[in-house]
Amino acid sequence: MTADPARRAVGLVLPPTYSLALSRALQARGYEVEIAPTPALVRVLVREGHCGVWVFDDSVGDGMSALSDSGAGLVPLDSLPDRADAEALDRWSTGVATKVAQMTVQSSDPNCRAVWLLAGSAGAPPAVQAFLNALVSPPPVAFVYAQHFDVDQEKQLAELAPENSAFEMTLLEDRAELVTGSVTIISPACRYRLTPGAAIACGGQSWGEGHAPDINQAIEELSVCGIAETGVIIFSGMGSDGSRALADYTAAGGVVWAQNPDEAICGAMPAAAVATGCVSRIDTPSALAAALLRRYAG
């Protein structure tokens, strides 16, 4: 999740016919292409760090572990078209090349380099406000806010606004672009989806039983969205929602910070996150804001 695919080659681990067809489509869009016909070559290219995005099917074999650890954007393919059908092969190549372009646009956009999830429950709104107010200038980050609340309270939460005029909070109702300075509040009515092109949309499915939004599910979406860099900050809240998803999320390259449980209104949620061993920074909301600014300075 930390690679910069917009400035590197695209690696292909596919049968020869598909590699050649897709390489032509990618080169037509200006991408450099590396074809890796064997797991051994995959591992060599991963060590060199040359490829920011990898497109692969099950022929990757035991090279999959190298790809998983590479920090690159991954485009797995579940099926391949009939290689004898030239028209189908052309449509497939165009579609996959479009996926790669969507994955790289977010990291090549100087206005929005990353997406961070702000998560909490009881006591989180003032902590999140303090965090946003302490950002003296917007970092190149779009924020998504997952806060436990009832559907009947949606409009009340949508009116929540930090004093910092550089940020605008909006409640997700259908689809929105994720840009610097945006704070999109996830609806409790439906699960959300992120795209590599830095857009957010209601996914049409409910959160199911339990909390809404479900912060574990919100974090899981970050793990599979294909956006180059994401992060999570766990703020004040009761219970342990979110902690179950952190191990897989950090294993995939995600970054997790937490509000100091000792100074949170409700310390249970950040304390549960800290107890997983996945949290790399623990501090006050204002100190976390300063750390985020340093992270994206320059």
Side-chain angles (χ1 to χ4, degrees), residues 108-155:
S108 64
D109 180 358
N111 295 319
C112 183
R113 287 167 48 192
V115 174
W116 281 67
L117 175 70
L118 311 178
S121 182
V128 171
Q129 285 196 10
F131 169 80
L132 294 173
N133 289 339
L135 292 171
V136 293
S137 61
V141 170
F143 295 108
V144 176
Y145 184 16
Q147 163 76 40
H148 293 160
F149 62 102
D150 296 328
V151 175
D152 293 341
Q153 297 175 316
E154 278 191 75
K155 296 191 183 302

Side-chain angles (χ1 to χ4, degrees), residues 112-261:
C112 183
R113 287 167 48 192
V115 174
W116 281 67
L117 175 70
L118 311 178
S121 182
V128 171
Q129 285 196 10
F131 169 80
L132 294 173
N133 289 339
L135 292 171
V136 293
S137 61
V141 170
F143 295 108
V144 176
Y145 184 16
Q147 163 76 40
H148 293 160
F149 62 102
D150 296 328
V151 175
D152 293 341
Q153 297 175 316
E154 278 191 75
K155 296 191 183 302
Q156 191 175 23
L157 187 62
E159 293 171 358
L160 173 67
E163 296 174 5
N164 190 341
S165 61
F167 296 93
E168 179 181 1
M169 279 187 162
T170 58
L171 181 67
L172 180 65
E173 295 180 347
D174 181 22
R175 184 181 185 279
E177 298 299 318
L178 295 172
V179 297
T180 292
S182 64
V183 185
T184 304
I185 306 170
I186 301 174
S187 171
C190 64
R191 295 183 62 170
Y192 78 111
R193 292 288 181 268
L194 293 172
T195 73
I200 184 170
C202 285
Q205 295 179 317
S206 68
W207 295 99
E209 300 295 329
H211 298 297
D214 184 303
I215 294 173
N216 283 308
Q217 294 176 26
I219 294 171
E220 289 166 1
E221 174 62 20
L222 291 182
S223 298
V224 300
C225 66
I227 291 175
E229 183 171 349
T230 66
V232 175
I233 304 179
I234 305 293
F235 290 97
S236 173
M238 299 177 65
S240 60
D241 191 19
S243 59
R244 174 175 54 79
L246 296 183
D248 287 344
Y249 175 65
T250 54
V255 178
V256 182
W257 295 355
Q259 182 180 5
N260 187 335

Side-chain angles (χ1 to χ4, degrees), residues 11-75:
L12 306 182
V13 193
L14 300 167
T17 299
Y18 303 98
S19 290
L20 292 173
L22 182 55
S23 65
R24 287 194 292 268
L26 290 168
Q27 288 166 350
R29 291 174 179 249
Y31 292 99
E32 184 182 349
V33 176
E34 294 282 0
I35 296 176
T38 66
L41 186 52
V42 170
R43 289 190 288 271
V44 169
L45 291 172
V46 166
R47 283 197 300 271
E48 292 177 350
H50 187 51
C51 297
V53 173
W54 283 91
V55 182
F56 61 94
D57 70 345
D58 56 12
S59 64
V60 69
D62 62 5
M64 186 62 221
S65 60
L67 291 186
S68 299
D69 296 337
S70 68
L74 302 181
V75 182

